[in-house]
Amino acid sequence: MVRKGKQPPSKTGESNPPFQRLAGPAVILAAAAMAVWPLIKMGPSCGADFSFHFVSWIEAQRSILDGILYPHWASGPNFGAGEPRFVFYPPLAWMAGALLGFVMPWRVVSVALVYLLLAATGLANRALARQMLPGGPATLAGCASIFLGNMLVDIYMRSDYAELAGGFWIPLLLLFLLRRRTSDGTRLQRALDGVVPLALVLCGTWLSNGPLGIMASYLLAAVACVSAALEKSWLPVARAALAAVLGCALAAVYLVPAICERGWASFQAAVSQREYVVENGWLFHPHTDPSWTLYNTTLEMHSWLAAAMFGMASIAMLAAWKRGKLTAPRAWWVPLALIPAAVLLLQLPLSEPLWRWLPALRLLQFPWRWLVVMNAPLAVFFAAAIWVKPRWGRVALTGACAVLFFLITGGTWGICFNNCHNTDAALETAEQSSGTPGKPEYAPPGIQHALMTPEVTGNCAVDDLANASSADRTDGTAQGSGAHACGGSFSQMADQPEYKVFVGTADHAGYLILHLRSYPAWRVTVNGQTAHAAREAGYGLMAVPIPRGPAMVTVDWTTTPDVWAGRGLSLLALALLTGLCALERRRTRGRLS
């Protein structure tokens, strides 16, 4: 118990004047700026995922300007036919880019977002390291997490901004799961201690990136089991289980629709294509097919990165142990020490049964995604292994690390940087609302062509849907066997992201094939009467039955029952977490009084 008027001693035994408390975060902010200096100078690196995120930011911002705070449909992909990417892709990444786009030019948004992600990574790893290390080495650990792990490679090579959020979510998950707790209170109170922040962090991982949410969930379960074995108590498992339930429930506003509606899209394409099969991603597993050149380059880079990260983490851990720097309880640092070995195992063919039988694990597609989990223990053990006490030694060490980090940044930029010149035209098209390519996994299931082409047109009235597949129509007429020419001209009077109106006159009763991909959440009316739209088999465009003569077709996005269920579950979880937070604060005040 701590009496009033007295402060508990620091965990590391050192005072914390205001300057010292601010100095560490300031150093990490400067380190993050050093990591993005090539982007500031040369512009963004257009990796494989850059265009997808860029288009998502623009489409999300258009929906926000239209009054849709949580959009579902992106109109620009598939060259104006659209796709439901916002139903299936977690919201934090595209929402962050859209909001940044309100205050800065689009070409700057990616650089600003990268800087914020790196700064958050450093600060989160510093907070994790403070559980064992003083302020100085903890700050070094925060800086090391920016430069020594997978962050820079993924920034310059892949541009996967959503997955980069794992740089700060994973250390926060470890922090709230492993931090030391008081032993007072009932068993139930001790089980509830820390559930709220753990649930919020797990929710954040799911709302940032699907693969990241899967990895965070497995990490939470594994570390909780190891901690339970070391502490000889089931409290860590109970705490993790409750946090997992509440965290997933809080993210239900996204998770429930994404899971319930996955049968409305072609998600098998995301795991069945050969480059997305886990067995093709083992470490140093090259492929001789010339079409795999880009894939082999990415795999080779991450293979060397995985080997280097595991080697550095292992050597640093042994050095820290030999130097007596692992002063925290075993239940804190032993789970961290096991993470690099577990991650390495998942990169090898030996782990194939795990990938086959563990639920949802194959959805990660690439085994090297797990490197983001190795980042935190590598940074903590690295700082603990090399930190020295004498002032002159710390000055020399700081200078040497600064030079090392600068060289790593320059080397990564030189090897992995992707020039944006080849994608400038596509980005300009996206900014001008002219349409961009779509993603095959969001296409309607069972159609002939998952990807649209710019030549495919729509808004064409035909009398026979079976013989008027848009797969054969690229100039407004049907050219298949037995097909008929367009029987009427229709124009689009309203083209909002989730509300569209088409007006025209049909020469005969039949179908109006819209330049809009079919999706069950669309509600269609013809002349004010509800209509049941069909789907043409070529490109999955919506086919609306219309009568002869003038017709006004309205297509409006509806809130499906699964969306209402997700919202309700998230509100319930939020209420429970608020109650738990209030109980924890009351308990803390009682302990300090």
Side-chain angles (χ1 to χ4, degrees), residues 413-464:
W413 169 71
I415 296 173
C416 301
F417 182 78
N418 287 277
N419 198 301
C420 280
H421 291 165
N422 294 332
T423 59
D424 278 348
L427 300 183
E428 183 177 354
T429 298
E431 289 181 289
Q432 296 174 355
S433 304
S434 302
T436 58
K439 299 285 284 184
E441 58 264 35
Y442 301 143
I447 61 175
Q448 298 175 23
H449 305 281
L451 296 177
M452 295 279 291
T453 62
E455 295 79 17
V456 176
T457 62
N459 305 340
C460 176
V462 298
D463 61 352
D464 189 348

Side-chain angles (χ1 to χ4, degrees), residues 200-263:
L200 292 175
V201 169
L202 188 63
C203 172
T205 63
W206 279 111
L207 295 182
S208 296
N209 182 257
L212 180 61
I214 295 173
M215 290 186 289
S217 298
Y218 276 111
L219 179 66
L220 177 67
V223 172
C225 290
V226 172
S227 296
L230 293 172
E231 297 177 12
K232 296 181 173 60
S233 169
W234 284 102
L235 286 179
V237 174
R239 186 181 301 116
L242 184 56
V245 171
L246 290 175
C248 291
L250 190 61
V253 65
Y254 152 72
L255 283 176
V256 170
I259 293 173
C260 291
E261 298 182 20
R262 66 179 183 268

Side-chain angles (χ1 to χ4, degrees), residues 459-468 484-488 490 505-514 524 526-527 531-535 542-551 553:
N459 305 340
C460 176
V462 298
D463 61 352
D464 189 348
L465 180 60
N467 293 324
H484 303 279
C486 286
F490 279 73
T505 302
D507 298 340
H508 45 73
Y511 290 88
L512 174 62
I513 300 181
L514 303 177
V524 182
V526 178
N527 294 333
H532 299 285
R535 175 192 300 154
M542 186 181 295
V544 180
I546 56 173
R548 179 182 178 184
V553 177

Side-chain angles (χ1 to χ4, degrees), residues 116-151:
L116 293 175
L117 289 169
L118 290 179
T121 295
L123 294 173
N125 280 279
R126 181 181 186 271
L128 174 65
R130 286 287 286 144
Q131 296 293 298
M132 183 178 73
L133 303 173
T139 300
L140 177 59
C143 295
S145 67
I146 296 174
F147 298 95
L148 295 186
N150 69 310
M151 297 294 289

